[in-house]
């Protein structure tokens, strides 16, 4: 990994560690901690009231994503789900609800502070069918063909090696498995320099792939039936998007 990539990854780690610490230090209180993000393009406002109902206030407050991947992944009873960059655990807890006691939801994060918060949130929820793993999304610590669905919420754009993320995602999925990802994607007309003008790397903007780059990356990893659907604007020419794709059975 280059020095620049190492620095970018450390900047991302520090940013999310600080977010976890802010939520933890505020505590639940009578009304729960305040969200760590105020921008309506990101965070807990992208979840319905019914989804937030019953979740620990700390899990809701720590939500930093740009979408709601559990709403588009069409999770089914008994499935095994992996959340890349699981943060405070909101999408893992929602996934665990959907797959039920016969299924399982994994959360993968590289930040100790977020992992500690997620484990605490799972304990507060009383959810048993979850497991949080420490690691990088470029080197997923699970065997091949382990999970049915991979989700992620505005995290892949933060990776310094997105081709590795796509390859690892493909590896851990079972044949016929699928991805349902929310991520920031740039219009094809924007150059990397223009993307950087619209926001920092750690703010999920500068590192975003274009629509064409995202599709090409997934297809190069072996995915088929790639769909990338923009949902709302997060900056000029930058969109939160729902990304779906399938690992072929053969």
């Amino acid at each position: 990994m280059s020095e620049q990539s190492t620095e970018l990854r450390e900047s991302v780690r520090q940013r999310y560690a600080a977010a976890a610490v802010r939520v933890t230090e505020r505590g639940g209180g009578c009304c729960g901690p305040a969200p760590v993000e105020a921008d309506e393009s990101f965070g807990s406002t992208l979840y319905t009231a019914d989804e937030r109902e019953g979740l620990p206030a700390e899990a809701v407050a720590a939500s930093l994503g740009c979408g709601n991947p559990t709403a588009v992944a069409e999770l089914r009873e008994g499935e095994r789900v992996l959340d890349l960059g699981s943060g405070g655990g909101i999408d893992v807890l929602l996934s665990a609800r959907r797959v039920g006691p016969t299924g399982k939801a994994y959360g993968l994060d590289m930040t100790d502070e977020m992992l500690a918060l997620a484990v605490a949130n799972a304990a507060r929820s009383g959810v048993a069918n979850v497991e949080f793993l420490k690691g990088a999304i470029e080197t997923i610590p699970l065997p091949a063909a382990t999970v049915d669905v991979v989700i992620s919420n505005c995290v892949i754009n933060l990776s310094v090696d997105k081709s590795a993320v796509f390859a690892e995602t493909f590896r851990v999925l079972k044949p016929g498995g699928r991805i349902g990802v929310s991520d920031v994607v740039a219009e094809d007309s924007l150059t990397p320099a223009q993307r950087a003008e619209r926001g920092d790397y750690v703010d999920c903007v500068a590192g975003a792939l274009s629509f064409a780059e995202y599709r090409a990356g997934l297809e190069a990893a072996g995915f088929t039936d790639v769909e990338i659907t923009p949902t709302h604007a997060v900056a000029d020419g930058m969109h939160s998007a729902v990304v779906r794709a399938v690992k072929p059975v053969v």
Side-chain angles (χ1 to χ4, degrees):
M1 187 183 297
S2 69
E3 182 177 348
Q4 182 184 23
S5 295
T6 300
E7 290 176 354
L8 284 173
R9 177 177 282 185
E10 178 59 16
S11 295
V12 170
R13 190 200 66 77
Q14 290 178 359
R15 188 264 177 115
Y16 288 94
V21 169
R22 287 200 301 275
V23 171
T24 302
E25 289 180 345
R26 287 171 181 171
C30 62
C31 302
V36 295
E37 292 287 339
D39 189 337
E40 291 185 358
S41 297
F42 297 86
S44 61
T45 59
L46 300 174
Y47 297 85
T48 67
D50 286 344
E51 287 173 319
R52 297 194 300 268
E53 182 74 26
L55 290 176
E58 291 84 354
V60 176
S63 175
L64 296 163
C66 60
N68 183 350
T70 60
V72 301
E74 300 175 0
L75 302 180
R76 296 186 281 269
E77 188 88 13
E79 289 188 317
R80 298 168 77 87
V81 186
L82 169 64
D83 181 17
L84 301 180
S86 49
I90 186 170
D91 292 318
V92 176
L93 297 179
L94 289 173
S95 295
R97 284 183 185 174
R98 287 180 166 84
V99 301
T102 60
K104 186 166 184 177
Y106 295 97
L108 174 64
D109 207 281
M110 68 175 181
T111 308
D112 289 328
E113 293 85 351
M114 276 294 186
L115 285 168
L117 178 60
V119 169
N121 285 331
R124 293 184 186 102
S125 299
V127 176
N129 59 332
V130 302
E131 182 178 347
F132 291 98
L133 309 168
K134 182 177 180 180
I137 63 175
E138 298 86 359
T139 52
I140 299 171
L142 285 173
T146 301
V147 296
D148 300 289
V149 188
V150 172
I151 64 173
S152 186
N153 197 347
C154 203
V155 172
I156 294 174
N157 65 78
L158 294 169
S159 172
V160 296
D161 189 352
K162 296 173 180 64
S163 61
V165 177
F166 296 147
E168 278 289 273
T169 300
F170 190 87
R171 180 186 67 82
V172 300
L173 278 169
K174 299 175 183 177
R178 62 199 188 277
I179 66 171
V181 167
S182 294
D183 211 2
V184 173
V185 184
E187 293 179 4
D188 292 334
S189 59
L190 294 184
T191 65
Q194 289 171 324
R195 298 170 212 174
E197 291 171 356
R198 285 156 171 76
D200 293 337
Y201 198 98
V202 297
D203 290 327
C204 305
V205 176
L209 296 175
S210 70
F211 283 88
E213 290 167 344
Y214 219 117
R215 176 179 295 276
L218 288 170
E219 291 177 345
F223 285 100
T224 59
D225 301 324
V226 178
E227 299 177 4
I228 307 174
T229 307
T231 57
H232 59 273
V234 299
D236 183 23
M238 311 285 293
H239 305 269
S240 174
V242 170
V243 182
R244 296 184 178 91
V246 176
K247 178 175 180 175
V249 174
V250 179

